[in-house]
Amino acid sequence: MVLRNHGRGRSKAEHAAKADHKHAPSASSTPESYSKDGERRRRGRDAYRAFCAAIFSILVLLGIIALILWLVYRPHKPRLTVVGAAIYDLNFTAPPLISTSVQFSVLARNPNRRLPPLRLGHKSTVVIAPVLGGAGVPVSPEVANGLKSDEAYGLVSMRVVVTGRLRWKAGAIMTGRYGFYATCGVWMRFNRSSNGQVPLLAPSTCKVDV
């Protein structure tokens, strides 16, 4: 009986030892390994924060530089004014059709001092005088009747539209190309005997949209 009881006690002790060994912490779960993992995570977070701070600082610096350049140069739109007109032909035929040949002198001025466009020097002025027209151009009855009525009164109203593209340059800094659209309302004296230069009632300042 004593030997049998002693064998059972030893078996229980062996099972207890195996259980303790199974639940014992491994080498990778020691306090030292936990400390190294936490340090690596902290270093990763610090590096990420430093990177984000650097990117933010660069963006702020670029924004400040752009604001300073804008305040210093302040690019302005070109100014266009119709200063002269000539009518060489203005006839109406059915159904209605219009045949015309006109020329407008448009004064283009660059108001910028520090940031001139590429092909127009700063504070410079250029006069553009294109000849426009066509033969047998269809128009609506309202337009034909309106022009005939204006012609009878000796005053003709026309609208000049100028479109194009521009960009500004200052030293090595050059902007992209921008489209502009200008409209100019022109009032001029005209009658059947007019052929060539006609007087304007007043210079027409154009509205310019960029």
Side-chain angles (χ1 to χ4, degrees), residues 74-104:
R74 288 190 183 183
H76 297 283
K77 297 180 291 187
R79 296 174 184 171
L80 304 180
T81 306
V82 178
V83 296
I87 299 179
Y88 304 107
D89 182 28
L90 185 60
N91 293 312
F92 300 94
T93 57
L97 301 174
I98 183 172
S99 297
T100 182
S101 176
V102 298
Q103 182 178 29
F104 294 100

Side-chain angles (χ1 to χ4, degrees), residues 152-167:
Y153 282 106
L155 296 175
V156 175
S157 173
M158 293 187 179
R159 186 178 67 170
V160 180
V161 177
V162 182
T163 62
R165 296 179 68 81
L166 58 85
R167 60 181 175 181

Side-chain angles (χ1 to χ4, degrees), residues 69-187:
L69 290 175
W70 178 263
L71 293 176
V72 170
Y73 294 108
R74 288 190 183 183
H76 297 283
K77 297 180 291 187
R79 296 174 184 171
L80 304 180
T81 306
V82 178
V83 296
I87 299 179
Y88 304 107
D89 182 28
L90 185 60
N91 293 312
F92 300 94
T93 57
L97 301 174
I98 183 172
S99 297
T100 182
S101 176
V102 298
Q103 182 178 29
F104 294 100
S105 298
V106 181
L107 185 147
R109 183 174 185 272
N110 171 25
N112 298 287
R113 291 182 298 175
R114 298 187 181 92
L115 196 63
L118 288 179
R119 298 182 181 178
L120 187 59
H122 63 277
K123 288 292 184 179
S124 62
T125 301
V126 174
V127 176
I128 307 168
V131 177
L132 311 173
V137 179
V139 295
S140 66
E142 291 79 7
V143 171
N145 293 333
L147 282 175
K148 290 179 181 179
S149 177
D150 291 345
E151 185 180 357
Y153 282 106
L155 296 175
V156 175
S157 173
M158 293 187 179
R159 186 178 67 170
V160 180
V161 177
V162 182
T163 62
R165 296 179 68 81
L166 58 85
R167 60 181 175 181
W168 291 272
K169 179 183 178 183
I173 301 175
M174 185 183 303
T175 68
R177 294 183 182 273
Y178 297 89
F180 73 90
Y181 181 88
T183 55
C184 321
V186 182
W187 282 93

Side-chain angles (χ1 to χ4, degrees), residues 3-19:
L3 291 174
R4 191 179 300 170
N5 290 337
H6 180 72
R8 289 180 179 177
R10 185 173 58 183
S11 177
K12 290 181 180 180
E14 290 176 355
H15 282 295
K18 290 181 180 179

